[in-house]
Amino acid sequence: HSLLTTVQGESNELLFTFGTVTPVMPQQGAIVVEAPLNFVFETACVPFNSETHYAPYSPILVRLDCVAQDTVFLRVGGVLRPRFTMRPVDEPILPGLWSFQLACVNPASASDAAASPNTFILRTYATYTDESNSQGINAVADVDATIEGFHIREQMPEAEIVHVVDYALSGRDDHPSMHSNLILAFELRSEPAISGHHFMEVLAPDGFYFRTTCRVKIGPGIFGVGVKYPSPYVPFESGVQVISCQGYFHLALMELTPGLRRGKRYAFSLRISRQPAATPTRNEWRLAYGTEASQAITGYPLWAMQDLTLSMLLTNRLNEAAVVENIVELVFTPTNTVTVTGMVLLVGPSGYKIRIDCDVEIFQLSSDITVADAVVPGALCTGEQPPTNRARIRLQSETAVLASGVRYRMSLKVRNPNYVPPSAGYWFIRSYSDAPAGIAWTEPDQETLLDTGKVASLPISEFFTYFIVRVSNQVSPLETVLPIEFDFELPLDIANGDRVSILGPPGYDFARPVIDASLEFEFRQCLSFVDRPGSSSLAELPVPLCAGREIRFTFRRAHAPGEQFRFRILTDWPHKTLLDVQSVVKVVLIRRHDSVLDPLGSDVAVATSVAFLAPVVPRLRDFGLSRIGPRAEAIASMGNVMITFKASQDAQALVVTTRVDMVLFKHASFASTSAEVTVREQVLKELQTIHDGSSRVVVAFKISASTMYGVVLRSVENPDAIGTVLWTVQTYSRPKQESTLIVAASATGIVAPVIDEAPPHTTDPEVVLLWLQSRSNLRDEMVDWHASPTVGRIDMHATIESGFFDFTDTLMSFTMSVAPQDAPVDHRFLIFAPFGWEFVVGSFQAGERFPDIFDMGQLFCYDPTQVREVSLYALQLLAPIRASMPCKLNPTKLCINEVGFTIRVNTPPTPADLARWRRQTHQAWLLQIDSHANETCSDTDDDRRLDPEIVAFSNDASFAGFVLKESLSQLVVLPEPGGQKSRQHITMSVEFVTSSALVLQDSSGGRGIFLRVSAVEGLEFDGGCLAAVPDPDYASCSGDARLAVVRVRTAI
């Protein structure tokens, strides 16, 4: 049989049916088929089975190896005919009636095909090598079977299904599984023969069925009694008669007397005995008459809820002690549009109960994952009173529709049966164009029936006596796993070989990681398993195996009903954001099938339950947070922070907030913060920083899952309170754009929604902030990450007596204060010298209001913050440094308590490269107060190492230090000979060495290079103190008592 087309040169599918008496053994045996001339088969042919079961023939289920080639057919004069050979690979083809299909290409010319033998020959072999029997072992199994082939035809100019009909008058019904009168029409290209009988064939898609004696009408009345044929259709010629109509599954063959003419559009009605339960995947019809055949005729969609699927949250029988409504979800695509005047009738299996005021939600589904499903407004559900398994759903909004060709999801709350039904049953859904008026339950008029649907329900089982799941809420931010504890009890016994399977929510993973991703779904050792934690009186569980989010226990011994179990397990931290309804743990007891009477039976779920969990927000992975750049430990200090993380999910915004542990309403300030993002060591330019007040900073940029990011926040101001700073970092996704809702006016013209989303870095900041208002947009987070604590603040300024290099024993004077509280007694006050400076031991002098101290002297300690050895001066406080004191002018108020002290230092030696020295050395002065009380560097194991954890106050090295000037070295003063006597007017020379040249670049405005000379007490300079005038190097000298100022001409 041809199952596609008999048109010349077209691709086709052939159906072969045959019977065997002798088995065809694997490898050795073969089935050989010869076809008429000019049929073309693929060399590596692939036999396949049809969707239709052509009883009494059964499809060949064994694996076949197929090879096609042309061979000389000796019986018809050596014509080269196509032949294909099929060999069973693993199992024999047993005696019986069999069918298979094979793709081919019809002969290119109908006339050539008619001129050659039109026979198919099938033979089976017990052993077979090749057609020539080259090894002499070919052994025929059964006698050859020869059958006449089908005619190759020319193409008809026109053929169609006539859709513009009155369904009631013509008898057409497009509902699934119903009979129908279908009107088809065709037009002939050539005048048919005027003698003999003519044959007309109609090939319907798989699933349609014609009676063995089918019914066809070719005359008046096919459009309805008394209804004329609409143009351009005409009835068959008056002399044409139907001799017979034979149906074979979805093929109808009619024999007629001659009389049709070319160029007329003939219409006829053919009775379909049964239509498929759903619109066929390949929905094409074919029509042939005489020597002409049509191309594929597009079929009609059946009035069915297409692609109907069902899911249920609960599959256990109703627990009367803890009544929980089930959520049944139906997903479907209507063939016909339902408007506000219509309704949907839903009927569940027996035992289900739907409240009279039932809850229903209908969503129009989006085909784009970046677009959210749209809510169909005004859906109203009404059940019966008392509750039954039926409900009707109507649309209250005038614009709301369930549009043809659009996919929808309907969620309905129901109560499961309070018993275990013997069979699962079916859910039926029907739509109607008109709904009965009023709220009273009235059966709808069947004339208004639109689409129907039927879908198998899920089996109902017993419920667990209890099933409790506890998720730990005391998990350190450093943890990457989540502990979960389970308790359950069954009312049934557990037999040897039974299984308890627990399925966690999406995004959970209980199994140990694998190297090869292809092994991800293989059951293996769990991350962790602790049986009977806290109680040895509970029943013992076998060691489970895990795969992804599933935990499986296989019992090796029996347990009586009522035994209680408890275990604790770890899951990798969930990596998917869930809705409340998705955060569900399901448990099922599966009874092993072990029956000699039914060896092919499958295991059965005999008890199920669910537990609802609060959704766990995924964590940012590989998270790190640290201060970088200048010190910023004190309250209100400004510093930089580096955040590193790997996201579990894609997102578009990073949100950073802080708080101080145990202190209300205190947080870091991001008012002046800027952000820099790096990914794979490349700076990301496409971002924007958004300041939401001072308490929150938002960085909008594209965040990809499993990618490592580094975010630098600059100019972050510490909280103004002492304590541990807790950082919360979250990622948010842009809300999905809601799909365009199909409404009544546009139900027949569906337009896909246009998505126009600006990249995150160009999105309006106000829009980005709106994303953060819904936790449904939250993706990953790290909450209350413990950063280094803030410490008290030291504010200070200082002066130096001689701001030059190479000065020894010069005096430094400090004024300082502490905040926000007193520096305690027995703490240690530390003064850190910048690079190159030295303290004069014993030179510390307390000034005004500075408390008594014990001078510990100079220490040399390793500073882990600066990663080098530093010089510091240590003092033990014998009394506190007060943060505030009564004001002098108004003692009723408190003023900042400024205290002073001095210390003598040696300034650094003059560097050889002053510019480089200024660029590379840090000359800031650091003051700290820590809690260490003795004369070592710290109480750590290495007492030469400072401990940053015990710092209580700091100035964060915010005092930049002094810009030291160069010293004039090798100073020599030489009087004239004999000029050392007192009371003489003498000439003397002053000699010195400079480390670098001084060159005058601009002398305008009184600018110049000057030397200031200060003589010993008693020596006085002349007013014009140059000894030689004019002097080649110096322009002038002005003396005043023991001071003289010399002006340099151009350079020294």
Side-chain angles (χ1 to χ4, degrees), residues 24-26 61-64 88-93:
V24 181
M25 303 307 293
L61 300 179
V62 302
R63 200 152 57 96
L64 299 173
V89 177
D90 304 313
E91 302 175 55
I93 300 176

Side-chain angles (χ1 to χ4, degrees), residues 230-460:
S231 179
Y233 308 109
V234 297
F236 282 33
E237 304 298 334
S238 58
V240 177
Q241 296 180 358
V242 176
I243 297 175
S244 66
C245 180
Q246 296 180 346
Y248 181 73
F249 294 95
H250 55 117
L251 173 66
L253 177 63
M254 291 145 279
E255 187 178 2
L256 300 95
T257 59
L260 298 187
R261 308 296 301 273
R262 70 179 181 90
K264 291 186 176 182
R265 189 73 58 86
Y266 293 109
F268 66 95
S269 173
L270 181 64
R271 179 74 165 184
I272 301 169
S273 293
R274 186 177 66 248
Q275 298 182 118
T279 301
T281 304
R282 186 165 64 188
N283 193 16
E284 295 176 348
W285 293 67
R286 308 276 177 165
L287 190 152
Y289 183 90
T291 60
E292 298 181 25
S294 73
Q295 286 280 36
I297 302 170
T298 301
Y300 52 93
L302 295 175
W303 286 13
M305 295 295 184
Q306 306 289 345
D307 304 321
L308 177 61
T309 62
L310 175 139
S311 63
M312 293 167 50
L313 179 62
L314 305 177
T315 56
N316 56 272
R317 73 178 181 89
L318 184 69
N319 184 352
E320 301 285 1
V323 176
V324 178
E325 284 192 307
N326 193 4
I327 297 178
V328 175
E329 283 194 349
L330 292 163
V331 178
F332 57 91
T333 303
T335 301
N336 294 282
T337 297
V338 181
T339 66
V340 68
T341 62
M343 75 172 214
V344 173
L345 178 65
L346 187 66
V347 181
S350 177
Y352 285 84
K353 297 290 188 292
I354 305 174
R355 289 184 285 108
I356 188 171
D357 56 341
C358 44
D359 296 328
V360 68
E361 286 184 316
I362 303 178
F363 295 88
Q364 177 187 302
L365 302 185
S366 169
S367 58
D368 189 331
I369 61 172
T370 64
V371 178
D373 300 335
V375 178
V376 177
L380 176 66
C381 178
T382 306
E384 294 182 294
Q385 186 63 26
T388 67
N389 60 336
R390 303 202 307 169
R392 61 182 185 184
I393 295 93
R394 300 186 61 174
L395 303 175
Q396 294 180 297
S397 171
E398 291 289 338
T399 60
V401 294
L402 301 180
S404 169
V406 178
R407 199 131 177 87
Y408 293 91
R409 181 180 72 249
M410 178 189 295
S411 298
L412 184 75
K413 288 187 177 181
V414 305
R415 288 190 180 182
N416 284 0
N418 57 7
Y419 59 93
V420 177
S423 63
Y426 292 88
W427 288 83
F428 297 90
I429 181 172
R430 301 184 182 95
S431 62
Y432 294 86
S433 59
D434 290 298
I439 61 173
W441 190 277
T442 306
E443 292 296 332
D445 185 352
Q446 291 304 303
E447 294 296 323
T448 66
L449 178 65
L450 296 175
D451 299 339
T452 64
K454 172 185 175 183
V455 62
S457 187
L458 298 180
I460 295 297

